[in-house]
Amino acid sequence: MELLTTQLKKIFSENINNIFKQDFSEKINIENSTKKEFGDFQTNFAMMNSKAIGKNPREIATTLVENFKENDLIEKLEIAGPGFINIHLKNNFLNNELKKIDNEKYDFSFLNVDETVIIDYSSPNIAKRMHIGHLRSTIIGDAIKRILDFIGFKTISDNHIGDWGTQFGKLIVAYNKWLDKEAYEADPIGELERIYVLFSDEAKKDPTLEDVARNELRKLQMGDEQNNKLWKEFIEISLKEYNKVYDRLGVKFDHYFGESFYNDMMPDVLEELKEKNIAKEDQGALVVFFEEDKLPPALVQKKDGSFLYATSDLATIKFRKNELNVDKAVYVTDERQQNHFKQVFEISEMLGAPYNYEKSHVYFGIMRFGDGMIFSSRSGNIIRLVDLLDEAKKQVKSVIDEKNPNIPEDEKEKIAEIVGTGAIKYFDLSQNRTSDILFTWDKVLSFEGNTGPYLQYTYARIQSILRKLKEENISVENNDIILDDMFDIERELAVALLRFPQTVVKSYETYRPNIIADYLFDTAKLFNNFYNSKSILKETDKKVMDARILLAQKTASILKQGLNLLGIETVDRM
């Protein structure tokens, strides 16, 4: 199914190139009309190319409209303002395109999708419970993966877990000294968190504990059997805990290549940096200095010979090209790591192949909390992710109990889980990714406005219509969705449905899932305006009723597809 904008660009290219005797194929932009009275789409080609053609925009637009050839897509063209051209599509063409929804795959072949893209996201630290700070990376990364999959890229998801470093020496000491075995069996990761905090408190009283921890870490690095066994145990119980959260979020990973995975590769990276005279010794450490000081110096090895995150990331970059054969890498972290990735990406360019493939740092703002921090983890001030999900489920279930008490209890539980989790994800993904956001339950769980529950309720409303269709044995006999005498709201909704794939492309190009969220909200509003102003199953004109039923079905399909790209499930009733 070819995108409307792609088809329109082809028609405009043929006409423009023929009329002006130049190839303007790469200089034609087709955009959604800003208001329905301005047609279905618009182009400002005349204004953008006035200098190249040597005429004023209005004259160019007039020449184009007057000489445009008749075709199967466009009903009429209108000139607006200084040189805009409004594009009105033929009803018959729109009808044929709408019928393809659910029956044909979208054609994104105009993009170079024959590439492998790795997405690096979530990345919790071992032996610590996942908290609210992991939410944005996890769900933004998952949404980006889903969008790229939908378009046709081959994707690899990698959870670059924090499974190496000084914390393990401390944890081993704490484990041997203060572990409560009964608590460890009941809540292993919670007990590990407790004893890690205890180590920090005790080390303030007795600084020699830090030396003991460094010794245990050295033993681990040298392959000590007991410490290695404990380290693997910490990883195993942590991943088991994390996967419970990932299952609830509907998030999956292809790899869990943690920091430890790249340990043996880092010395070779350092050798390359030294051989190419990129890293230089400075006060006993190895440092990369950048030309004209465009970035602060990057430390790649400490005086004591230990490696840093930059070294690990460079080893990761090399491995991903050599072993996974990726063409692009996308890193999803918070905004505080911008400088780090600028340094790493710049060093990878300095190193050349195999390091210098395309890489993007998709950063996001910090989530802050309103509502007076109504709950927190046992550690005192960090909100655990599982607690956030539980609270959302609890609040949604109370609404269902009040509004729809006749739903069976097990179904209520399932709906509450889906709607609650979806509400949290949608609240995050509907925001501008780079902005800080303020989380409040009123905004997250509202059934009105740009929220997850509003969209899920709109989808459920359509499913209710379709259930009544079956209950009343109503069959759809006509398959035209757009009728010549139909109302504006129905045609406006129909055109909006056909804009879905171009919205996905814009979201991909900017790595901004909120573009899809905004589209879904606008589409849901259009449907609800249509639903509230027009009868569907009580419509007396059978052809009109059939058209409205089909329009509702196509709307449900697009809402479901769009929410799925955001990692949000739908429910058939609420």
Side-chain angles (χ1 to χ4, degrees):
M1 181 176 178
E2 200 168 24
L3 277 62
L4 287 190
T5 47
T6 304
Q7 296 184 64
L8 286 169
K9 280 181 182 179
K10 285 181 180 178
I11 293 288
F12 268 81
S13 290
E14 290 170 9
N15 282 274
I16 288 170
N17 296 347
N18 182 55
I19 293 167
F20 297 106
K21 309 303 179 186
Q22 292 182 56
D23 188 359
F24 286 98
S25 301
E26 300 302 317
K27 298 180 180 179
I28 298 169
N29 67 314
I30 306 292
E31 302 292 339
N32 296 340
S33 56
T34 52
K35 292 182 180 179
K36 62 183 178 181
E37 53 264 34
F38 296 158
D40 302 312
F41 292 89
Q42 293 178 310
T43 180
N44 64 351
F45 168 82
M47 298 168 67
M48 296 295 291
N49 295 279
S50 174
K51 189 174 181 181
I53 294 174
K55 296 181 180 179
N56 71 61
R58 186 84 184 185
E59 187 179 354
I60 294 169
T62 301
T63 301
L64 183 56
V65 170
E66 289 179 350
N67 292 279
F68 212 90
K69 290 183 178 179
E70 173 69 21
N71 57 81
D72 294 333
L73 281 71
I74 299 170
E75 182 69 37
K76 66 176 178 177
L77 299 174
E78 295 174 333
I79 302 170
F84 282 100
I85 297 176
N86 297 336
I87 305 165
H88 299 258
L89 299 177
K90 290 183 176 179
N91 284 351
N92 188 52
F93 168 72
L94 290 176
N95 244 327
N96 291 333
E97 293 299 301
L98 286 165
K99 291 172 189 176
K100 295 176 185 178
I101 294 175
D102 281 337
N103 295 315
E104 290 186 19
K105 284 187 175 182
Y106 295 111
D107 180 3
F108 296 108
S109 60
F110 61 92
L111 297 170
N112 183 19
V113 297
D114 189 23
E115 293 182 319
T116 299
V117 184
I118 192 163
I119 306 106
D120 181 324
Y121 55 103
S122 196
S123 307
N125 288 322
I126 290 300
K128 295 179 182 178
R129 287 176 287 198
M130 289 183 71
H131 55 76
I132 193 61
H134 298 112
L135 178 65
R136 301 209 73 191
S137 174
T138 304
I139 64 177
I140 292 172
D142 180 60
I144 289 171
K145 183 183 187 304
R146 289 169 180 266
I147 291 164
L148 266 62
D149 284 338
F150 184 79
I151 288 174
F153 289 95
K154 178 185 176 184
T155 63
I156 301 170
S157 53
D158 188 8
N159 193 348
H160 192 87
I161 55 174
D163 65 351
W164 200 246
T166 57
Q167 71 267 30
F168 287 100
K170 298 175 182 179
L171 201 54
I172 289 168
V173 172
Y175 181 96
N176 292 328
K177 278 182 171 290
W178 304 301
L179 187 79
D180 181 329
K181 292 196 174 173
E182 191 173 319
Y184 187 58
E185 288 176 8
D187 180 14
I189 201 165
E191 177 61 7
L192 290 180
E193 273 192 347
R194 183 191 73 81
I195 61 174
Y196 186 77
V197 171
L198 182 58
F199 176 92
S200 180
D201 294 339
E202 292 298 319
K204 290 173 186 175
K205 304 174 194 172
D206 180 8
T208 63
L209 281 172
E210 296 284 358
D211 293 328
V212 179
R214 278 190 283 271
N215 185 53
E216 292 297 343
L217 178 62
R218 272 193 294 273
K219 286 166 62 178
L220 172 61
Q221 291 171 336
M222 296 298 291
D224 178 82
E225 185 178 347
Q226 183 57 33
N227 282 7
N228 192 58
K229 181 182 177 184
L230 276 179
W231 172 69
K232 288 181 177 178
E233 185 177 308
F234 298 157
I235 293 172
E236 184 181 347
I237 63 173
S238 299
L239 289 180
K240 187 175 181 181
E241 184 77 13
Y242 300 158
N243 282 329
K244 291 177 185 176
V245 177
Y246 292 138
D247 284 346
R248 291 183 70 176
L249 291 172
V251 173
K252 294 179 180 178
F253 294 94
D254 297 309
H255 300 296
Y256 288 81
F257 292 142
E259 293 168 20
S260 65
F261 182 79
Y262 302 99
N263 266 342
D264 295 340
M265 306 176 201
M266 287 190 272
D268 288 342
V269 173
L270 285 182
E271 284 305 311
E272 286 187 71
L273 288 169
K274 287 188 283 188
E275 284 173 11
K276 295 183 178 181
N277 205 29
I278 295 170
K280 298 174 183 177
E281 191 172 317
D282 185 66
Q283 299 180 18
L286 269 180
V287 183
V288 175
F289 296 93
F290 300 96
E291 287 184 8
E292 300 176 359
D293 297 327
K294 64 179 177 182
L295 291 169
L299 193 64
V300 291
Q301 187 177 36
K302 292 181 180 178
K303 291 179 187 179
D304 61 7
S306 58
F307 304 118
L308 292 103
Y309 286 125
T311 332
S312 175
D313 280 335
L314 288 167
T316 304
I317 288 168
K318 183 179 182 181
F319 171 83
R320 287 172 172 171
K321 171 54 76 173
N322 286 344
E323 303 300 326
L324 301 179
N325 198 29
V326 303
D327 300 293
K328 294 179 182 177
V330 178
Y331 295 79
V332 185
T333 76
D334 73 54
E335 61 189 5
R336 292 169 295 186
Q337 295 191 44
Q338 286 184 74
N339 195 60
H340 166 77
F341 281 107
K342 284 177 183 176
Q343 290 174 316
V344 170
F345 293 170
E346 183 66 24
I347 296 170
S348 68
E349 289 300 310
M350 294 160 71
L351 280 164
Y355 298 87
N356 60 343
Y357 52 92
E358 185 178 336
K359 294 173 284 295
S360 303
H361 178 212
V362 177
Y363 62 88
F364 51 84
I366 305 300
M367 182 181 286
R368 307 186 189 284
F369 278 74
D371 293 335
M373 299 284 283
I374 59 172
F375 57 84
S376 63
S377 75
R378 296 172 202 165
S379 61
N381 59 2
I382 295 177
I383 299 174
R384 296 194 309 163
L385 208 40
V386 68
D387 291 338
L388 189 74
L389 296 173
D390 286 345
E391 182 67 21
K393 180 179 179 180
K394 175 184 169 185
Q395 293 202 31
V396 170
K397 188 169 183 299
S398 68
V399 174
I400 298 171
D401 285 337
E402 179 186 341
K403 295 185 177 293
N404 210 342
N406 295 326
I407 294 179
E409 194 64 25
D410 59 340
E411 189 178 351
K412 280 184 193 175
E413 287 285 327
K414 184 178 180 182
I415 293 171
E417 174 73 19
I418 291 172
V419 175
T421 300
I424 290 170
K425 295 176 86 170
Y426 187 85
F427 173 77
D428 188 320
L429 295 170
S430 63
Q431 311 286 327
N432 183 340
R433 161 173 63 74
T434 56
S435 301
D436 289 353
I437 58 177
L438 181 68
F439 183 106
T440 64
W441 285 114
D442 285 347
K443 288 182 181 178
V444 172
L445 296 174
S446 174
F447 279 71
E448 298 178 358
N450 191 9
T451 68
Y454 174 78
L455 290 174
Q456 287 171 315
Y457 180 74
T458 303
Y459 178 84
R461 167 177 271 178
I462 298 173
Q463 296 311 303
S464 175
I465 295 170
L466 301 181
R467 279 196 300 275
K468 287 179 183 176
L469 199 68
K470 290 182 179 178
E471 291 166 5
E472 298 177 18
N473 293 317
I474 298 173
S475 60
V476 177
E477 296 166 6
N478 302 296
N479 65 356
D480 284 341
I481 301 173
I482 294 183
L483 307 176
D484 288 334
D485 57 350
M486 75 189 306
F487 294 93
D488 284 348
I489 185 65
E490 294 160 81
R491 193 180 188 285
E492 191 179 356
L493 174 58
V495 173
L497 298 180
L498 293 173
R499 290 174 176 155
F500 172 62
Q502 75 185 70
T503 302
V504 177
V505 171
K506 285 184 179 180
S507 181
Y508 149 68
E509 290 173 340
T510 56
Y511 294 127
R512 292 183 184 272
N514 67 293
I515 291 173
I516 292 174
D518 290 343
Y519 164 84
L520 293 174
F521 176 53
D522 289 342
T523 302
K525 280 193 299 182
L526 277 173
F527 175 81
N528 285 313
N529 289 341
F530 155 63
Y531 176 86
N532 291 323
S533 61
K534 311 296 173 192
S535 61
I536 298 180
L537 299 185
K538 292 183 180 179
E539 171 58 50
T540 55
D541 186 323
K542 181 69 168 91
K543 192 171 183 181
V544 172
M545 181 178 72
D546 287 352
R548 290 175 179 170
I549 290 169
L550 290 170
L551 187 57
Q553 286 177 331
K554 300 298 184 183
T555 303
S557 174
I558 293 296
L559 289 177
K560 189 181 183 76
Q561 287 182 66
L563 286 169
N564 182 260
L565 291 181
L566 302 180
I568 297 171
E569 292 183 67
T570 51
V571 291
D572 289 346
R573 60 175 174 169
M574 288 173 65

